[in-house]
Amino acid sequence: MTHYADSEVGRLATVVLHRPGPELARLTPRNNDSLLFDGIPWVGRAQEEHDAFAAALRDRGVEVLYLANLLAEALAVDDARAELTQAGLEDFRLGDALRAEVRRYLADLDPPALTTVLMAGLAHEELRTGSGVVYALMDRHDFVIDPLPNLLFTRDSAVWIGDQVAVTSLAMAARGRETTLTHAIYRHHPRFAGTQLLYEPGLEHLEGGDVLLLGRGVIAVGVGERTRPAGAERLARRCFARGLARTVLVVPIAQERATMHLDTVCTMVDVDAVVMYPNVADTLVAWTVTGGDEGEPQVFGPEPFLTAAAKAMGMDTLRIIDTGLDPVTAEREQWDDGNNTLAIAPRLCVAYERNVETNAQLEAAGVEVIRIPGSELGSGRGGPRCMSCPVSRASLSAG
């Protein structure tokens, strides 16, 4: 299999999605904040909406891979099973007695059942053989292994750059196990045999939603609470050393719930066009990082992000399509992921149907919009780009 991506807009060939499952059904008013999910979605409707998203991609010739299937297939490999079982047991809250009980419980599960537990968690009441002080003192609503509702956002845990995959290092402790699952898939699944890892969990914090492939050899990385400057520097060094980039733009992002990652304020819909939250367009800046002599990164700037991006891409300017039409609609549609579009090809993107004004702006600019429902999917504050990890795109020409 050929897996490769050098842009945000090259014709999409293969993508990894995660269909919402029992991990979302585990969300309650008691735990949704700690599990980093804004709302409590209607799971059945979220699945219907996600199925419509996947169908829209398939209708355009995109191969859709599901994370749960990839994980179950990887767990047929003994090393993957041992690795992920151990990761599920490392929570220091368990204690020795309960950890031993959980180990025995997991050992009896076949790969599909183990996949479900690793994604949806293990509730106190499901472990009927539980014993020891920790188990006795747990509330009946607690989880022995926490669910991972944010698996929906497959972009966060991995990003392909060229023919290599960066498995990221998530900053929030509640999401740490997500990358252990993704890491195991890319290391043990037969489809990805021989894939080079550009980045791995345990390195400086870096999240896929902050990484934009602006054009061949040009990468933008948002930094803030999620992706740290050290993570951006580590990624830049590795990309320069492996010939995957000549320029990395490091872009500070104000950390608000609706502007969490770079792709929550700016995504690409054409080789020279971005859809962007207008409230930050004039204030967003970038530091330009290049390889320099002997591989030591050289840093220049800052200057306005759009100016730095156009320069790095060899263009006079980038076309900007605003989220919304005015300050009020812009703020509302920003909250509803109006600019978190997924490009299937130049001037062809997927967006939530609810963002009427932004979609009209896109179409007025010559971009075809494939509208999908997102009333329940949007409860986690993520749009089509967040919910997708492109594995293969057609390469853009060097020019």
Side-chain angles (χ1 to χ4, degrees):
M1 294 289 181
T2 299
H3 306 113
Y4 180 89
D6 64 10
S7 76
E8 296 291 322
V9 299
R11 172 65 66 174
L12 185 59
T14 303
V15 68
V16 175
L17 306 181
H18 176 60
R19 186 177 190 266
E23 72 284 344
L24 284 193
R26 305 283 200 166
L27 288 168
T28 70
R30 176 190 178 94
N31 66 19
N32 70 300
D33 285 344
S34 64
L35 293 174
L36 307 178
F37 221 84
D38 267 10
I40 302 172
W42 177 5
V43 178
R45 182 59 55 82
Q47 290 173 329
E48 292 174 3
E49 293 173 353
H50 197 273
D51 289 344
F53 176 34
L57 296 176
R58 291 193 190 98
D59 287 346
R60 297 289 179 147
V62 179
E63 178 190 20
V64 174
L65 305 177
Y66 284 111
L67 190 70
N69 294 342
L70 293 173
L71 181 57
E73 290 158 2
L75 284 170
V77 178
D78 288 343
D79 286 349
R81 184 183 182 104
E83 179 181 308
L84 292 178
T85 298
Q86 183 59 34
L89 297 170
E90 287 179 350
D91 191 330
F92 68 89
R93 298 173 303 171
L94 293 179
D96 291 343
L98 182 54
R99 183 173 290 109
E101 294 283 359
V102 176
R103 188 184 298 279
R104 286 191 287 272
Y105 179 90
L106 298 181
D108 289 336
L109 302 178
D110 62 18
L114 182 56
T115 294
T116 298
V117 170
L118 292 176
M119 289 184 163
L122 179 64
H124 177 273
E125 297 299 283
E126 292 171 332
L127 187 66
R128 301 189 183 279
T129 59
S131 62
V133 174
V134 175
Y135 186 78
L137 269 61
M138 289 178 72
D139 188 279
R140 61 187 297 269
H141 298 100
D142 288 342
F143 286 92
V144 177
I145 297 176
D146 286 333
L148 300 175
N150 289 285
L151 283 171
L152 177 64
F153 307 120
T154 56
R155 178 79 59 155
D156 285 347
S157 63
V159 56
W160 283 79
I161 301 176
D163 61 354
Q164 301 181 34
V165 63
V167 179
T168 60
S169 181
L170 300 184
M172 309 303 283
R175 300 190 64 184
R177 276 199 308 112
E178 291 178 40
T179 56
T180 66
L181 304 184
T182 307
H183 195 218
I185 288 169
Y186 286 123
R187 289 172 57 242
H188 299 294
H189 194 286
R191 174 168 181 143
F192 301 106
T195 294
Q196 282 189 273
L197 294 176
L198 178 63
Y199 210 90
E200 297 184 67
L203 295 174
E204 296 88 345
H205 291 315
L206 174 77
E207 301 198 359
D210 277 317
V211 181
L212 300 185
L213 307 184
L214 296 178
R216 201 170 191 181
V218 181
I219 301 170
V221 183
V223 297
E225 181 183 4
R226 299 302 184 96
T227 295
R228 305 292 168 78
E233 179 181 315
R234 179 70 62 194
L235 180 67
R237 286 180 178 275
R238 293 192 167 197
C239 286
F240 296 152
R242 300 186 189 188
L244 298 173
R246 63 179 183 274
T247 304
V248 173
L249 304 178
V250 179
V251 186
I253 303 293
Q255 296 302 290
E256 300 174 8
R257 194 68 184 96
T259 58
M260 180 189 319
H261 292 129
L262 182 55
D263 71 0
T264 64
V265 298
C266 177
T267 53
M268 295 194 72
V269 290
D270 199 358
V271 293
D272 65 346
V274 297
V275 55
M276 194 165 188
Y277 183 36
N279 292 8
V280 304
D282 293 334
T283 59
L284 211 59
V285 301
W287 298 83
T288 298
V289 184
T290 60
D293 297 331
E294 299 179 358
E296 188 63 25
Q298 302 295 303
V299 184
F300 307 93
E303 62 182 328
F305 167 63
L306 294 171
T307 300
K311 286 182 182 178
M313 297 166 71
M315 299 177 180
D316 292 333
T317 187
L318 285 171
R319 293 187 292 133
I320 305 169
I321 302 164
D322 287 343
T323 308
L325 287 174
D326 55 56
V328 174
T329 60
E331 186 172 9
R332 187 188 71 239
E333 297 199 2
Q334 167 66 19
W335 179 251
D336 289 334
D337 304 295
N339 64 14
N340 193 253
T341 57
L342 171 66
I344 296 179
R347 299 177 300 284
L348 175 63
C349 72
V350 183
Y352 283 149
E353 63 184 1
R354 65 194 297 170
N355 295 303
V356 176
E357 304 297 349
T358 302
N359 293 341
Q361 294 273 75
L362 285 163
E363 290 178 331
V367 178
E368 181 182 351
V369 179
I370 301 170
R371 292 166 171 80
I372 62 168
S375 296
E376 295 303 312
L377 287 179
S379 63
R381 302 274 69 82
R385 187 183 192 274
C386 287
M387 295 188 297
S388 58
C389 176
V391 170
S392 298
R393 285 189 183 274
S395 178
L396 294 178
S397 65

